[in-house]
Amino acid sequence: MVSLYPLSNSNSSARSNSSSPRTVEEIFKDYSARRVGLLRALTHDVDEFYGFCDPEKENLCLYGHPNETWEVTLPAEEVPPELPEPALGINFARDGMNRKDWLSLVAVHSDSWLLSVAFYLGARLNRNERKRLFSLINDLPTVFEVVTERKPMKDKPSVDSGSKSRGSTKRSIDGQVKSNPKLADETYEEEDDEHSETLCGSCGGNYSADEFWIGCDVCERWFHGKCVKITPAKAENIKQYKCPSCMKRGRQ
C-alpha cells in the first residue's frame, strides 16, 4: 500500500518484518524498534507529525516500524490485517483538543498498539516466555510516560507485594497462602531465582519453594512457617499475621 504521507525519517519502510519474530528476544527487539519510531514522532519530530495529522484528511493511523521509523497513513486495506492495527482516526481530534492532551492521547493508544503487536507475535510463547517478554517490556518507560515526562513509579520488591490490598492480610512468599507449594513451583520455574535473596527472619535460612513461608504484616519480614509454628491451614484463619517479635513488642 502506498503511504498517504512519506515517512519523516525514512524513504520507505515495511509495515511488518518480512519474517515474523518468534523468540522472546526477537519480539522484544521488534517492540523496541517500533517504540523508538513512535517516540521520535511524538517528541523529536512532533511538529512534522502534528502537521501530517490534518483533521480534513481521512482516518489516519500512526505506525512505528521495525526499522525505528514512523509513518502517518491510512489503515491497512487487507482484512484481517497482517498485524493488529493502531488507533484509527487520530487526526480527527487534533484541533478539538489542547495539543499536549492530544499528544498524550495518541501516546496512550500507541502503548496499547505496541503491546497488542508484541503479544500477537508472542501468541505461541509459553507462560514463562510471555512473563519474560512482559518483564522486558515493563522495564522500559511507556510512550505515554516519555511524552508526558512522567517518571515511572518504582514498585516495591516482589517479596513485599503481599495481599495488603486484599481483605485478608495474611501472606506467603508469593502473596498468597501456599496449600500446594510444589504446584506453584512447577507453574513458575523461575520462582527460586526471584526470591533467592529472601532470608527467614527467625533462622536466617534462604527461601525455598518447597517450604511454606509467611510474611509479618507489621515488620514485613518473612519466616519459615515451621520457625514460627504456623501451618498453611492455620494461616488461612489469620486475618493479620504478627511475628513473635512484633507480638512481644506489642505487649510492652
Side-chain angles (χ1 to χ4, degrees):
M1 187 177 84
V2 178
S3 299
L4 183 63
Y5 299 106
L7 291 173
S8 64
N9 51 358
S10 176
N11 292 326
S12 63
S13 175
R15 197 163 271 189
S16 63
N17 285 328
S18 55
S19 58
S20 295
R22 296 297 180 193
T23 67
V24 170
E25 289 70 24
E26 289 173 343
I27 295 170
F28 179 64
K29 183 179 179 181
D30 180 90
Y31 171 92
S32 300
R34 293 177 188 274
R35 175 180 172 275
V36 168
L38 293 173
L39 284 174
R40 185 172 287 130
L42 295 170
T43 56
H44 185 269
D45 299 339
V46 67
D47 290 335
E48 187 176 6
F49 166 69
Y50 191 87
F52 281 170
C53 295
D54 185 349
E56 298 300 318
K57 303 295 182 181
E58 296 182 60
N59 290 299
L60 297 178
C61 300
L62 171 62
Y63 293 88
H65 293 297
N67 63 356
E68 301 186 359
T69 60
W70 60 272
E71 180 182 19
V72 172
T73 188
L74 295 170
E77 294 179 349
E78 61 266 35
V79 178
E82 185 178 353
L83 290 174
E85 286 288 293
L88 181 66
I90 57 171
N91 52 314
F92 293 148
R94 191 196 70 175
D95 292 349
M97 297 178 67
N98 173 277
R99 172 167 163 151
K100 188 175 181 180
D101 292 339
W102 177 74
L103 290 171
S104 297
L105 179 64
V106 175
V108 170
H109 282 294
S110 296
D111 281 318
S112 300
W113 178 66
L114 285 172
L115 286 174
S116 68
V117 171
F119 278 81
Y120 175 84
L121 295 173
R124 291 179 175 82
L125 299 177
N126 63 40
R127 187 170 186 171
N128 283 331
E129 287 173 332
R130 289 196 305 273
K131 182 182 178 185
R132 185 155 61 91
L133 173 61
F134 185 74
S135 179
L136 290 169
I137 290 172
N138 207 35
D139 283 340
L140 294 174
T142 64
V143 174
F144 175 76
E145 287 169 339
V146 174
V147 171
T148 59
E149 298 182 345
R150 295 191 183 189
K151 292 183 179 180
M153 292 183 65
K154 291 185 178 180
D155 294 329
K156 292 181 180 180
S158 57
V159 294
D160 288 334
S161 59
S163 56
K164 292 257 182 180
S165 60
R166 290 158 43 187
S168 172
T169 53
K170 58 183 180 296
R171 300 171 295 157
S172 69
I173 198 72
D174 59 357
Q176 54 186 313
V177 173
K178 290 187 192 171
S179 57
N180 189 345
K182 287 185 180 288
L183 180 60
D185 186 50
E186 289 169 2
T187 303
Y188 290 106
E189 296 171 358
E190 300 162 354
E191 190 178 55
D192 281 331
D193 294 333
E194 230 176 276
H195 304 296
S196 60
E197 296 180 2
T198 303
L199 302 178
C200 174
S202 179
C203 71
N206 289 321
Y207 166 72
S208 171
D210 295 328
E211 298 175 295
F212 169 72
W213 282 58
I214 188 166
C216 176
D217 289 290
V218 178
C219 67
E220 298 192 345
R221 289 184 300 167
W222 293 90
F223 302 86
H224 290 110
K226 63 184 180 182
C227 289
V228 290
K229 298 180 180 178
I230 299 292
T231 64
K234 188 175 181 179
E236 287 285 357
N237 298 314
I238 300 175
K239 292 184 178 179
Q240 183 181 43
Y241 176 68
K242 292 184 181 180
C243 70
S245 297
C246 291
M247 288 283 287
K248 187 177 180 181
R249 281 196 294 269
R251 296 194 201 101
Q252 294 176 349

